[in-house]
Amino acid sequence: MFALKWLLMAAGVAMFGTAAGVVAYDVYLAMQFQKLMGSGEPGAAGPAGPRRPIRWPLAMKLFGWAWAPLLVALSMVVVPEGLGGVRISQISGVQQGTLYPGIHLIVPLVQRVAAYDLRDHLFTTTAAPDAAGKSEILTVQTREGLTMGLAISVRYRLDPQRLGYIHANLAQPVDSEIVAPVVSTAFRDLAPNYVVREVFASKRDEFRTKSTKTITDRLASDGIVVKEVLLRDVHLPAEYAKGLEGLLLKEQESERMEFETEISAKQVRIAELHAEAAKAQQLKRSEADAASRVIAAKAEADAMQYTLPLKKKQIEESRLEAEARKEATVQNADAAAQSKITDSKAEAERRRLLAAADADTTRLAAAANADTIRLTAAADSERLQQEAAVLKQNPMLIQKIIAERLSDKLQIIMVPTDGRNFFASDVLRSAFAGVPAANSTEDADQDAPAPARKTAQAAKIK
């Protein structure tokens, strides 16, 4: 809204400038036209000729339109954050009601807004001149007539509901014209009721409380709310400060002596109490020892009445336990001997069973080997019989086998024995002329063992 206000004002000023520019431009053109008309150029109409008109209607319209945004902008008032405003009319004066932060409308050129800071203010004084010298020095006189300095801080703010009254009736600025005199007067009127020592020490809080109430009541009637009044420092006169320092030292010495006396008395009393406590403790300890001895004697006498029967019972129990252990030892020895005998018998039986098992295993193995040999011999015999039958049917096979084993370079050719349609039949027939004799010899050797038969066959072939 603040930007809108300035935008409207800029628009109004621009319209005013435009209107003035139109008039100035038309006047300039008219002057140039008049100058050309009076120069005597061909075709000129002379001094009484036509003149360029000035656009007064357009200028008046722009002038009139320029007031609209300008008046709208002047009717808008923006109250910043933390401030409050009061409407002031040129006709009726200050109007009631506070304008809080934001935008507000007023009658332009008739009303205006006075702004006041509604945040907390701080008024301070010093007790003595300082290097900065910005704060006011507040001095008061006490009942003795001595002058002392006070460092005061007053935190206050303006009542938003009474800004109209503040603006219409209080001198401005309020800080220096109203608050400062009221605070100074309150402390200066109250200080003569106290002596310096009371203000400095004993009744300092009372002095501050009464002055706070006075300042609060006086400023509240003017629409100023006081939140806090602080008495920061009290500056004593130089002579009084020296005397007060000596007095305080004496008082401190007196208080120290009284304190030490009290400590000594308390130490004596503590020693007496310690002695009485030790005596009482000794007496109690003696009584307790005597009582404990009596109780111990009674307890021992009572215990003896029960101890003898218990000891007899213990002896009887020990005897019975010894006999039981003896019997248990004998029984254990018998059990051990019986266990050893049983173990010996079991070991002998185990060894006998192992020997029988080994014999059975050996016998079974021998029978199995005999069966194996028997079956192998039968198989070899059957195989030899089959081979003999095959060789008997084909006597040339043995010669072929022997020839193949003699050399791997020999080539064997099998041909029919009749030799038909074969060019080498005559040669082969002459080669095998002694075969029948051989066959009769092989029949005679069938009953011989296989190695002997193989040797005889090999000799025949050679």
Side-chain angles (χ1 to χ4, degrees):
M1 298 301 292
F2 188 75
L4 178 61
K5 176 181 177 180
W6 285 105
L7 184 61
L8 292 173
M9 292 184 68
V13 173
M15 288 184 181
F16 279 122
T18 303
V22 169
V23 173
Y25 182 68
D26 289 345
V27 171
Y28 172 74
L29 291 180
M31 292 176 63
Q32 293 295 327
F33 184 74
Q34 186 68 26
K35 188 175 182 181
L36 290 174
M37 293 299 293
S39 61
E41 293 181 356
R51 303 178 63 184
R52 180 179 177 83
I54 298 174
R55 292 175 289 178
W56 291 106
L58 178 59
M60 294 302 293
K61 287 181 181 180
L62 291 174
F63 186 78
W65 291 343
W67 283 102
L70 190 60
L71 292 176
V72 172
L74 292 175
S75 65
M76 298 169 62
V77 176
V78 178
V79 179
E81 187 71 24
L83 303 182
V86 178
R87 285 190 180 93
I88 303 172
S89 176
Q90 303 295 333
I91 300 173
S92 58
V94 179
Q95 295 183 356
Q96 297 299 324
T98 301
L99 302 180
Y100 292 96
I103 187 167
H104 303 275
L105 298 177
I106 62 173
V107 179
L109 304 178
V110 177
Q111 294 179 345
R112 64 183 180 89
V113 175
Y116 289 89
D117 191 354
L118 299 180
R119 293 168 292 193
D120 289 352
H121 298 261
L122 187 65
F123 172 75
T124 59
T125 63
T126 57
D130 54 355
K134 294 182 180 180
S135 301
E136 179 183 351
I137 301 174
L138 177 60
T139 57
V140 296
Q141 287 186 347
T142 60
R143 186 186 301 173
E144 304 98 321
L146 298 176
T147 301
M148 59 189 303
L150 299 178
I152 306 298
S153 293
V154 180
R155 189 163 67 94
Y156 65 94
R157 66 180 180 86
L158 302 180
D159 188 358
Q161 303 295 331
R162 303 187 64 185
L163 289 182
Y165 174 82
I166 293 173
H167 182 82
N169 298 284
L170 300 184
Q172 304 296 329
V174 177
D175 296 342
S176 59
E177 297 295 334
I178 303 298
V179 177
V182 170
V183 173
S184 301
T185 302
F187 279 99
R188 286 169 180 161
D189 291 344
L190 189 62
N193 298 325
Y194 298 88
V195 297
V196 175
R197 187 173 182 181
E198 292 176 345
V199 175
F200 180 74
S202 61
K203 296 184 178 181
R204 183 168 182 168
D205 189 65
E206 177 185 343
F207 178 71
R208 184 191 64 79
T209 303
K210 289 184 177 181
S211 60
T212 300
K213 186 176 183 303
T214 302
I215 294 170
T216 302
D217 294 340
R218 290 184 182 180
L219 293 180
S221 61
D222 292 331
I224 301 174
V225 180
V226 178
K227 290 188 174 181
E228 190 177 14
V229 177
L230 301 176
L231 179 58
R232 304 193 319 274
D233 188 19
V234 177
H235 184 70
L236 300 176
E239 296 79 3
Y240 186 84
K242 292 181 181 179
L244 182 61
E245 183 178 358
L247 181 62
L248 291 174
L249 291 176
K250 290 181 180 179
E251 288 181 355
Q252 291 178 357
E253 184 67 21
S254 176
E255 291 177 356
R256 184 181 65 80
M257 293 180 66
E258 292 178 358
F259 185 70
E260 290 179 353
T261 303
E262 292 179 359
I263 291 176
S264 300
K266 290 181 179 179
Q267 289 177 349
V268 173
R269 180 59 181 166
I270 289 171
E272 293 176 355
L273 293 176
H274 285 169
E276 293 178 359
K279 181 179 179 181
Q281 290 178 357
Q282 187 67 27
L283 181 60
K284 294 291 183 182
R285 190 178 299 109
S286 300
E287 293 177 356
D289 292 340
S292 63
R293 289 177 182 175
V294 172
I295 293 172
K298 289 181 179 180
E300 187 175 358
D302 295 337
M304 291 298 293
Q305 297 177 1
Y306 299 100
T307 303
L308 292 176
L310 291 175
K311 286 185 177 180
K312 291 180 180 180
K313 290 181 179 180
Q314 289 177 357
I315 293 171
E316 185 67 20
E317 289 177 356
S318 300
R319 185 179 63 78
L320 294 175
E321 289 177 358
E323 292 179 356
R325 284 196 297 272
K326 180 179 179 181
E327 292 178 358
T329 303
V330 173
Q331 292 177 359
N332 291 334
D334 294 341
Q338 187 67 26
S339 176
K340 288 182 179 179
I341 294 170
T342 304
D343 292 341
S344 299
K345 291 181 179 180
E347 182 66 20
E349 184 66 20
R350 185 180 65 81
R351 290 181 179 179
R352 185 181 65 78
L353 293 176
L354 288 175
D358 291 339
D360 292 340
T361 301
T362 303
R363 185 170 57 256
L364 292 175
N369 290 333
D371 292 341
T372 302
I373 293 170
R374 189 182 302 110
L375 293 175
T376 304
D380 290 339
S381 176
E382 185 177 357
R383 182 175 58 81
L384 291 174
Q385 290 177 2
Q386 291 177 359
E387 290 180 355
V390 171
L391 292 174
K392 186 176 181 181
Q393 293 177 1
N394 300 300
M396 296 298 293
L397 289 176
I398 191 171
Q399 297 178 9
K400 176 180 178 296
I401 292 171
I402 293 172
E404 288 177 351
R405 291 183 179 179
L406 290 175
S407 175
D408 57 350
K409 298 181 180 180
L410 294 178
Q411 294 183 356
I412 307 300
I413 299 174
M414 301 297 292
V415 296
T417 55
D418 55 1
R420 294 179 180 179
N421 301 322
F422 190 67
F423 69 93
S425 59
D426 296 333
V427 178
L428 293 175
R429 188 179 296 110
S430 61
F432 291 99
V435 171
N439 290 337
S440 62
T441 305
E442 290 176 358
D443 293 337
D445 294 336
Q446 289 295 329
D447 297 332
R453 291 197 304 269
K454 292 181 179 179
T455 304
Q457 292 175 2
K460 292 177 179 179
I461 294 171
K462 292 180 180 180

